[in-house]
Amino acid sequence: MKLKGYVNKGVAVAAATLITSATLLTGPAAGATQFPSGDAYGFSVDWSGQWVNVQRLDEITLQLCDASPGDKNKATARLQGYVFLNGTAKVKTAPTVFQVPIGDRKCWAWRDVFLTYFQDGERLDYARVAFYGSEEPSRMSATRWVRNPFAAP
């Protein structure tokens, strides 16, 4: 298992990498909520997580699958947040890149991932997973936005 962590301009993401060939999310994230999955262009993503507060989504488990893992167009995913600060809302993409390497395994999973925005006054209202092929990033697709229950309506 590899552990990677990134902190960049008020956003932090950490992920433990697991290899999997299964298509179901299982394991220690039992308290997490299953979020809407996504499927496009031969790539699919399943994910779950637990909202902790107005700035943090924790216990994220993300599974990324590539229908053709042997080609150069690797399945790639990044977490995105709809962040509100000082009366302005914008979509921010986390710096961590999740990617299925070229090989014979169609699916990879990452567990114990978290997404947090921590600048003064920032609020993480929604989160989603954007996914695409590494050779065709302009053909990006995304899961539906998941609302943070701690964010004001």
CSV table of all heavy atoms in Angstrom, one decimal, residues 7-63:
chain,number,residue,atom,x,y,z
A,7,VAL,N,-0.8,18.9,-0.2
A,7,VAL,CA,-1.4,20.1,0.3
A,7,VAL,C,-1.1,21.2,-0.6
A,7,VAL,O,0.1,21.4,-1.0
A,7,VAL,CB,-0.9,20.5,1.8
A,7,VAL,CG1,-1.5,21.8,2.2
A,7,VAL,CG2,-1.2,19.3,2.7
A,8,ASN,N,-2.1,22.0,-1.1
A,8,ASN,CA,-1.8,23.0,-2.1
A,8,ASN,C,-2.9,24.1,-2.0
A,8,ASN,O,-4.0,23.8,-2.2
A,8,ASN,CB,-1.9,22.3,-3.5
A,8,ASN,CG,-1.6,23.3,-4.6
A,8,ASN,OD1,-1.1,24.4,-4.4
A,8,ASN,ND2,-1.8,22.8,-5.8
A,9,LYS,N,-2.5,25.3,-1.7
A,9,LYS,CA,-3.3,26.4,-1.6
A,9,LYS,C,-4.7,26.2,-1.0
A,9,LYS,O,-5.7,26.4,-1.5
A,9,LYS,CB,-3.6,27.0,-3.1
A,9,LYS,CG,-2.3,27.5,-3.7
A,9,LYS,CD,-2.6,28.0,-5.1
A,9,LYS,CE,-1.3,28.5,-5.7
A,9,LYS,NZ,-1.5,29.0,-7.1
A,10,GLY,N,-4.7,25.7,0.2
A,10,GLY,CA,-5.9,25.6,1.0
A,10,GLY,C,-6.7,24.3,0.7
A,10,GLY,O,-7.8,24.2,1.1
A,11,VAL,N,-6.1,23.3,0.0
A,11,VAL,CA,-6.8,22.1,-0.2
A,11,VAL,C,-5.8,20.9,0.2
A,11,VAL,O,-4.6,21.0,-0.1
A,11,VAL,CB,-7.3,21.9,-1.7
A,11,VAL,CG1,-6.1,22.0,-2.6
A,11,VAL,CG2,-8.0,20.6,-1.9
A,12,ALA,N,-6.3,19.9,0.8
A,12,ALA,CA,-5.5,18.8,1.2
A,12,ALA,C,-6.2,17.5,0.7
A,12,ALA,O,-7.4,17.4,0.9
A,12,ALA,CB,-5.2,18.8,2.7
A,13,VAL,N,-5.4,16.6,0.2
A,13,VAL,CA,-5.9,15.3,-0.2
A,13,VAL,C,-4.9,14.2,0.2
A,13,VAL,O,-3.7,14.5,0.0
A,13,VAL,CB,-6.2,15.2,-1.7
A,13,VAL,CG1,-6.7,13.8,-2.0
A,13,VAL,CG2,-7.2,16.2,-2.1
A,14,ALA,N,-5.3,13.1,0.8
A,14,ALA,CA,-4.4,12.0,1.1
A,14,ALA,C,-5.0,10.8,0.7
A,14,ALA,O,-6.3,10.6,0.8
A,14,ALA,CB,-4.0,12.0,2.6
A,15,ALA,N,-4.3,9.8,0.1
A,15,ALA,CA,-4.8,8.6,-0.4
A,15,ALA,C,-3.9,7.4,-0.1
A,15,ALA,O,-2.7,7.5,-0.3
A,15,ALA,CB,-5.1,8.8,-1.9
A,16,ALA,N,-4.5,6.3,0.2
A,16,ALA,CA,-3.8,5.0,0.3
A,16,ALA,C,-4.3,4.2,-0.9
A,16,ALA,O,-5.4,4.1,-1.2
A,16,ALA,CB,-4.2,4.3,1.6
A,17,THR,N,-3.3,3.7,-1.7
A,17,THR,CA,-3.6,3.0,-3.0
A,17,THR,C,-3.8,1.6,-2.7
A,17,THR,O,-2.9,0.9,-2.1
A,17,THR,CB,-2.5,3.3,-4.0
A,17,THR,OG1,-2.2,4.7,-4.1
A,17,THR,CG2,-2.8,2.7,-5.3
A,18,LEU,N,-4.8,1.0,-3.2
A,18,LEU,CA,-5.1,-0.4,-3.2
A,18,LEU,C,-5.3,-0.9,-4.6
A,18,LEU,O,-6.0,-0.2,-5.4
A,18,LEU,CB,-6.3,-0.8,-2.3
A,18,LEU,CG,-6.2,-0.4,-0.8
A,18,LEU,CD1,-7.6,-0.7,-0.2
A,18,LEU,CD2,-5.2,-1.3,-0.2
A,19,ILE,N,-4.9,-2.1,-4.9
A,19,ILE,CA,-5.2,-2.7,-6.2
A,19,ILE,C,-6.4,-3.6,-6.0
A,19,ILE,O,-6.5,-4.4,-5.0
A,19,ILE,CB,-4.0,-3.5,-6.7
A,19,ILE,CG1,-2.8,-2.6,-6.8
A,19,ILE,CG2,-4.3,-4.2,-8.0
A,19,ILE,CD1,-1.5,-3.4,-7.1
A,20,THR,N,-7.3,-3.6,-7.0
A,20,THR,CA,-8.5,-4.4,-6.8
A,20,THR,C,-9.0,-4.8,-8.2
A,20,THR,O,-8.8,-4.1,-9.2
A,20,THR,CB,-9.6,-3.7,-6.1
A,20,THR,OG1,-10.7,-4.6,-5.9
A,20,THR,CG2,-10.1,-2.4,-6.7
A,21,SER,N,-9.6,-5.9,-8.3
A,21,SER,CA,-10.3,-6.3,-9.5
A,21,SER,C,-11.8,-6.4,-9.3
A,21,SER,O,-12.5,-6.8,-10.2
A,21,SER,CB,-9.7,-7.6,-10.0
A,21,SER,OG,-9.9,-8.6,-9.0
A,22,ALA,N,-12.2,-6.2,-8.1
A,22,ALA,CA,-13.7,-6.2,-7.8
A,22,ALA,C,-14.4,-5.0,-8.2
A,22,ALA,O,-13.7,-4.0,-8.6
A,22,ALA,CB,-13.8,-6.4,-6.2
A,23,THR,N,-15.7,-5.0,-8.3
A,23,THR,CA,-16.4,-3.9,-8.7
A,23,THR,C,-17.3,-3.3,-7.6
A,23,THR,O,-18.0,-2.3,-7.8
A,23,THR,CB,-17.4,-4.2,-9.9
A,23,THR,OG1,-18.2,-5.3,-9.5
A,23,THR,CG2,-16.6,-4.6,-11.1
A,24,LEU,N,-17.2,-3.8,-6.4
A,24,LEU,CA,-18.0,-3.3,-5.3
A,24,LEU,C,-17.1,-2.7,-4.2
A,24,LEU,O,-16.0,-3.1,-4.0
A,24,LEU,CB,-18.8,-4.4,-4.6
A,24,LEU,CG,-19.8,-5.1,-5.4
A,24,LEU,CD1,-20.4,-6.3,-4.7
A,24,LEU,CD2,-20.9,-4.1,-5.8
A,25,LEU,N,-17.5,-1.6,-3.6
A,25,LEU,CA,-16.8,-1.0,-2.5
A,25,LEU,C,-17.1,-1.7,-1.2
A,25,LEU,O,-18.2,-1.9,-0.9
A,25,LEU,CB,-17.2,0.5,-2.4
A,25,LEU,CG,-16.9,1.3,-3.7
A,25,LEU,CD1,-17.5,2.7,-3.5
A,25,LEU,CD2,-15.4,1.4,-3.9
A,26,THR,N,-16.0,-2.1,-0.6
A,26,THR,CA,-16.2,-2.8,0.7
A,26,THR,C,-15.1,-2.4,1.7
A,26,THR,O,-14.2,-1.7,1.3
A,26,THR,CB,-16.1,-4.4,0.5
A,26,THR,OG1,-14.8,-4.7,0.0
A,26,THR,CG2,-17.2,-4.9,-0.4
A,27,GLY,N,-15.2,-2.8,2.9
A,27,GLY,CA,-14.1,-2.6,3.8
A,27,GLY,C,-14.4,-1.6,4.9
A,27,GLY,O,-15.6,-1.5,5.3
A,28,PRO,N,-13.4,-0.9,5.5
A,28,PRO,CA,-13.5,-0.1,6.7
A,28,PRO,C,-14.4,1.1,6.5
A,28,PRO,O,-14.7,1.7,7.5
A,28,PRO,CB,-12.1,0.2,7.0
A,28,PRO,CG,-11.4,0.2,5.7
A,28,PRO,CD,-12.0,-0.9,4.9
A,29,ALA,N,-14.8,1.5,5.3
A,29,ALA,CA,-15.6,2.7,5.2
A,29,ALA,C,-17.1,2.3,5.3
A,29,ALA,O,-17.9,2.9,4.7
A,29,ALA,CB,-15.3,3.3,3.8
A,30,ALA,N,-17.4,1.4,6.2
A,30,ALA,CA,-18.8,0.9,6.4
A,30,ALA,C,-19.7,2.1,6.8
A,30,ALA,O,-20.9,2.1,6.4
A,30,ALA,CB,-18.8,-0.2,7.4
A,31,GLY,N,-19.2,3.1,7.5
A,31,GLY,CA,-20.0,4.2,7.9
A,31,GLY,C,-20.2,5.2,6.9
A,31,GLY,O,-20.9,6.2,7.0
A,32,ALA,N,-19.5,5.1,5.8
A,32,ALA,CA,-19.5,6.0,4.7
A,32,ALA,C,-20.8,5.9,3.9
A,32,ALA,O,-21.4,4.8,3.9
A,32,ALA,CB,-18.3,5.9,3.8
A,33,THR,N,-21.2,6.9,3.2
A,33,THR,CA,-22.3,6.9,2.3
A,33,THR,C,-21.9,6.6,0.9
A,33,THR,O,-20.9,7.2,0.4
A,33,THR,CB,-23.0,8.3,2.3
A,33,THR,OG1,-23.4,8.6,3.7
A,33,THR,CG2,-24.2,8.4,1.4
A,34,GLN,N,-22.6,5.7,0.2
A,34,GLN,CA,-22.3,5.5,-1.2
A,34,GLN,C,-22.8,6.6,-2.0
A,34,GLN,O,-24.0,7.0,-1.9
A,34,GLN,CB,-23.0,4.2,-1.6
A,34,GLN,CG,-22.8,3.8,-3.1
A,34,GLN,CD,-21.3,3.4,-3.4
A,34,GLN,OE1,-20.8,2.6,-2.6
A,34,GLN,NE2,-20.8,3.8,-4.4
A,35,PHE,N,-22.0,7.2,-2.9
A,35,PHE,CA,-22.4,8.4,-3.7
A,35,PHE,C,-22.7,7.9,-5.1
A,35,PHE,O,-22.3,6.8,-5.5
A,35,PHE,CB,-21.2,9.4,-3.7
A,35,PHE,CG,-20.9,10.0,-2.4
A,35,PHE,CD1,-19.6,10.2,-2.0
A,35,PHE,CD2,-22.0,10.4,-1.5
A,35,PHE,CE1,-19.3,10.8,-0.7
A,35,PHE,CE2,-21.7,10.9,-0.2
A,35,PHE,CZ,-20.4,11.1,0.1
A,36,PRO,N,-23.3,8.7,-5.9
A,36,PRO,CA,-23.6,8.3,-7.3
A,36,PRO,C,-22.4,8.0,-8.1
A,36,PRO,O,-21.4,8.8,-8.0
A,36,PRO,CB,-24.3,9.6,-7.9
A,36,PRO,CG,-24.8,10.3,-6.7
A,36,PRO,CD,-23.9,10.1,-5.6
A,37,SER,N,-22.4,6.9,-8.8
A,37,SER,CA,-21.3,6.5,-9.6
A,37,SER,C,-21.3,7.2,-11.0
A,37,SER,O,-22.3,7.9,-11.3
A,37,SER,CB,-21.3,5.0,-9.8
A,37,SER,OG,-22.4,4.6,-10.5
A,38,GLY,N,-20.3,7.0,-11.8
A,38,GLY,CA,-20.2,7.6,-13.1
A,38,GLY,C,-19.6,6.6,-14.1
A,38,GLY,O,-18.8,5.7,-13.7
A,39,ASP,N,-20.1,6.7,-15.4
A,39,ASP,CA,-19.6,5.8,-16.4
A,39,ASP,C,-19.7,6.5,-17.7
A,39,ASP,O,-20.7,7.0,-18.2
A,39,ASP,CB,-20.5,4.6,-16.4
A,39,ASP,CG,-20.1,3.5,-17.3
A,39,ASP,OD1,-19.0,3.6,-18.0
A,39,ASP,OD2,-20.7,2.4,-17.3
A,40,ALA,N,-18.5,6.6,-18.4
A,40,ALA,CA,-18.5,7.3,-19.7
A,40,ALA,C,-17.2,6.9,-20.4
A,40,ALA,O,-16.1,6.7,-19.8
A,40,ALA,CB,-18.5,8.8,-19.6
A,41,TYR,N,-17.2,6.8,-21.8
A,41,TYR,CA,-16.0,6.6,-22.6
A,41,TYR,C,-15.2,5.4,-22.2
A,41,TYR,O,-14.0,5.4,-22.4
A,41,TYR,CB,-15.2,7.9,-22.6
A,41,TYR,CG,-15.9,9.1,-23.0
A,41,TYR,CD1,-16.0,10.2,-22.0
A,41,TYR,CD2,-16.5,9.3,-24.2
A,41,TYR,CE1,-16.7,11.3,-22.3
A,41,TYR,CE2,-17.2,10.5,-24.5
A,41,TYR,CZ,-17.3,11.5,-23.6
A,41,TYR,OH,-18.0,12.6,-23.9
A,42,GLY,N,-15.8,4.4,-21.7
A,42,GLY,CA,-15.1,3.2,-21.3
A,42,GLY,C,-14.4,3.3,-19.9
A,42,GLY,O,-13.6,2.4,-19.5
A,43,PHE,N,-14.7,4.3,-19.1
A,43,PHE,CA,-14.2,4.5,-17.8
A,43,PHE,C,-15.4,4.5,-16.8
A,43,PHE,O,-16.5,5.0,-17.1
A,43,PHE,CB,-13.4,5.8,-17.7
A,43,PHE,CG,-12.4,6.0,-18.7
A,43,PHE,CD1,-12.4,7.0,-19.6
A,43,PHE,CD2,-11.3,5.1,-18.8
A,43,PHE,CE1,-11.5,7.1,-20.6
A,43,PHE,CE2,-10.3,5.2,-19.7
A,43,PHE,CZ,-10.4,6.2,-20.7
A,44,SER,N,-15.2,4.1,-15.6
A,44,SER,CA,-16.2,4.1,-14.6
A,44,SER,C,-15.6,4.4,-13.2
A,44,SER,O,-14.4,4.1,-13.0
A,44,SER,CB,-17.0,2.8,-14.5
A,44,SER,OG,-16.2,1.8,-14.2
A,45,VAL,N,-16.4,5.1,-12.4
A,45,VAL,CA,-16.0,5.4,-11.0
A,45,VAL,C,-17.1,5.1,-10.1
A,45,VAL,O,-18.2,5.4,-10.3
A,45,VAL,CB,-15.5,6.9,-11.0
A,45,VAL,CG1,-16.6,7.9,-11.2
A,45,VAL,CG2,-14.8,7.2,-9.6
A,46,ASP,N,-16.7,4.5,-8.9
A,46,ASP,CA,-17.6,4.3,-7.8
A,46,ASP,C,-16.9,4.9,-6.6
A,46,ASP,O,-15.7,4.8,-6.5
A,46,ASP,CB,-17.9,2.8,-7.5
A,46,ASP,CG,-18.8,2.2,-8.5
A,46,ASP,OD1,-19.9,2.7,-8.7
A,46,ASP,OD2,-18.4,1.1,-9.1
A,47,TRP,N,-17.7,5.6,-5.8
A,47,TRP,CA,-17.1,6.2,-4.6
A,47,TRP,C,-18.1,6.4,-3.5
A,47,TRP,O,-19.3,6.3,-3.6
A,47,TRP,CB,-16.5,7.5,-5.0
A,47,TRP,CG,-17.4,8.7,-5.4
A,47,TRP,CD1,-18.4,8.7,-6.3
A,47,TRP,CD2,-17.4,10.0,-4.8
A,47,TRP,NE1,-19.0,9.9,-6.4
A,47,TRP,CE2,-18.4,10.7,-5.5
A,47,TRP,CE3,-16.6,10.6,-3.9
A,47,TRP,CZ2,-18.6,12.1,-5.2
A,47,TRP,CZ3,-16.9,11.9,-3.6
A,47,TRP,CH2,-17.9,12.6,-4.2
A,48,SER,N,-17.5,6.5,-2.3
A,48,SER,CA,-18.3,6.7,-1.1
A,48,SER,C,-17.4,7.6,-0.1
A,48,SER,O,-16.2,7.8,-0.4
A,48,SER,CB,-18.6,5.3,-0.4
A,48,SER,OG,-17.4,4.7,0.0
A,49,GLY,N,-18.1,8.1,0.9
A,49,GLY,CA,-17.4,9.0,1.8
A,49,GLY,C,-18.3,9.4,3.0
A,49,GLY,O,-19.5,9.0,3.0
A,50,GLN,N,-17.7,10.1,3.9
A,50,GLN,CA,-18.4,10.5,5.1
A,50,GLN,C,-18.1,12.0,5.3
A,50,GLN,O,-17.0,12.4,5.5
A,50,GLN,CB,-17.9,9.7,6.3
A,50,GLN,CG,-18.6,10.1,7.6
A,50,GLN,CD,-20.0,9.6,7.7
A,50,GLN,OE1,-20.3,8.5,7.2
A,50,GLN,NE2,-20.9,10.4,8.1
A,51,TRP,N,-19.2,12.8,5.3
A,51,TRP,CA,-19.0,14.2,5.6
A,51,TRP,C,-18.7,14.4,7.1
A,51,TRP,O,-19.5,13.8,7.9
A,51,TRP,CB,-20.3,15.0,5.2
A,51,TRP,CG,-20.5,15.1,3.7
A,51,TRP,CD1,-21.4,14.3,3.0
A,51,TRP,CD2,-19.8,16.0,2.8
A,51,TRP,NE1,-21.3,14.7,1.6
A,51,TRP,CE2,-20.3,15.7,1.5
A,51,TRP,CE3,-18.8,16.9,2.9
A,51,TRP,CZ2,-19.9,16.4,0.4
A,51,TRP,CZ3,-18.4,17.6,1.8
A,51,TRP,CH2,-18.9,17.3,0.5
A,52,VAL,N,-17.7,15.2,7.4
A,52,VAL,CA,-17.3,15.4,8.8
A,52,VAL,C,-17.8,16.8,9.3
A,52,VAL,O,-18.3,16.9,10.4
A,52,VAL,CB,-15.8,15.3,8.9
A,52,VAL,CG1,-15.3,15.6,10.3
A,52,VAL,CG2,-15.3,13.9,8.5
A,53,ASN,N,-17.6,17.8,8.5
A,53,ASN,CA,-18.0,19.1,8.8
A,53,ASN,C,-18.1,20.0,7.5
A,53,ASN,O,-18.1,19.4,6.4
A,53,ASN,CB,-17.0,19.8,9.8
A,53,ASN,CG,-15.6,19.9,9.3
A,53,ASN,OD1,-15.3,20.1,8.1
A,53,ASN,ND2,-14.6,19.6,10.2
A,54,VAL,N,-18.3,21.3,7.7
A,54,VAL,CA,-18.5,22.1,6.5
A,54,VAL,C,-17.3,22.2,5.6
A,54,VAL,O,-17.4,22.7,4.5
A,54,VAL,CB,-19.0,23.5,7.0
A,54,VAL,CG1,-17.9,24.3,7.6
A,54,VAL,CG2,-19.7,24.2,5.9
A,55,GLN,N,-16.1,21.8,6.0
A,55,GLN,CA,-14.9,21.9,5.2
A,55,GLN,C,-14.3,20.5,4.8
A,55,GLN,O,-13.3,20.5,4.1
A,55,GLN,CB,-13.8,22.7,6.0
A,55,GLN,CG,-14.2,24.1,6.2
A,55,GLN,CD,-13.2,24.8,7.1
A,55,GLN,OE1,-12.8,24.3,8.1
A,55,GLN,NE2,-12.7,26.0,6.6
A,56,ARG,N,-14.8,19.4,5.3
A,56,ARG,CA,-14.1,18.2,5.1
A,56,ARG,C,-15.1,17.0,4.7
A,56,ARG,O,-16.1,16.7,5.4
A,56,ARG,CB,-13.3,17.8,6.3
A,56,ARG,CG,-12.5,16.6,6.2
A,56,ARG,CD,-11.7,16.4,7.5
A,56,ARG,NE,-11.0,15.2,7.5
A,56,ARG,CZ,-9.6,15.1,7.4
A,56,ARG,NH1,-8.9,16.2,7.3
A,56,ARG,NH2,-9.0,13.9,7.4
A,57,LEU,N,-14.6,16.2,3.7
A,57,LEU,CA,-15.2,15.0,3.3
A,57,LEU,C,-14.2,13.9,3.6
A,57,LEU,O,-13.0,14.0,3.1
A,57,LEU,CB,-15.6,15.0,1.8
A,57,LEU,CG,-16.2,13.7,1.3
A,57,LEU,CD1,-17.4,13.2,2.0
A,57,LEU,CD2,-16.5,13.9,-0.2
A,58,ASP,N,-14.5,12.9,4.5
A,58,ASP,CA,-13.5,12.0,5.0
A,58,ASP,C,-13.9,10.6,4.6
A,58,ASP,O,-15.0,10.3,4.0
A,58,ASP,CB,-13.5,12.1,6.5
A,58,ASP,CG,-12.1,11.8,7.1
A,58,ASP,OD1,-11.2,11.4,6.4
A,58,ASP,OD2,-12.0,11.9,8.3
A,59,GLU,N,-13.0,9.6,4.8
A,59,GLU,CA,-13.2,8.2,4.6
A,59,GLU,C,-13.7,7.9,3.2
A,59,GLU,O,-14.5,7.0,2.9
A,59,GLU,CB,-14.3,7.6,5.6
A,59,GLU,CG,-13.8,7.6,7.0
A,59,GLU,CD,-14.8,7.0,7.9
A,59,GLU,OE1,-15.6,6.1,7.5
A,59,GLU,OE2,-14.9,7.4,9.1
A,60,ILE,N,-13.1,8.6,2.2
A,60,ILE,CA,-13.5,8.4,0.8
A,60,ILE,C,-12.8,7.1,0.3
A,60,ILE,O,-11.7,6.9,0.6
A,60,ILE,CB,-13.0,9.6,-0.1
A,60,ILE,CG1,-13.7,10.9,0.4
A,60,ILE,CG2,-13.3,9.3,-1.5
A,60,ILE,CD1,-13.1,12.1,-0.3
A,61,THR,N,-13.6,6.3,-0.3
A,61,THR,CA,-13.1,5.2,-1.0
A,61,THR,C,-13.5,5.4,-2.5
A,61,THR,O,-14.7,5.7,-2.8
A,61,THR,CB,-13.8,3.9,-0.5
A,61,THR,OG1,-13.4,3.7,0.8
A,61,THR,CG2,-13.3,2.7,-1.3
A,62,LEU,N,-12.5,5.3,-3.4
A,62,LEU,CA,-12.8,5.6,-4.8
A,62,LEU,C,-12.3,4.4,-5.6
A,62,LEU,O,-11.1,4.0,-5.4
A,62,LEU,CB,-12.0,6.9,-5.2
A,62,LEU,CG,-12.2,7.4,-6.6
A,62,LEU,CD1,-12.1,8.9,-6.6
A,62,LEU,CD2,-11.2,6.9,-7.5
A,63,GLN,N,-13.1,3.9,-6.5
A,63,GLN,CA,-12.7,2.8,-7.4
A,63,GLN,C,-12.8,3.3,-8.8
A,63,GLN,O,-13.9,3.8,-9.2
A,63,GLN,CB,-13.6,1.6,-7.2
A,63,GLN,CG,-13.2,0.5,-8.1
A,63,GLN,CD,-14.0,-0.8,-7.9
A,63,GLN,OE1,-13.7,-1.5,-7.0
A,63,GLN,NE2,-15.1,-0.9,-8.6
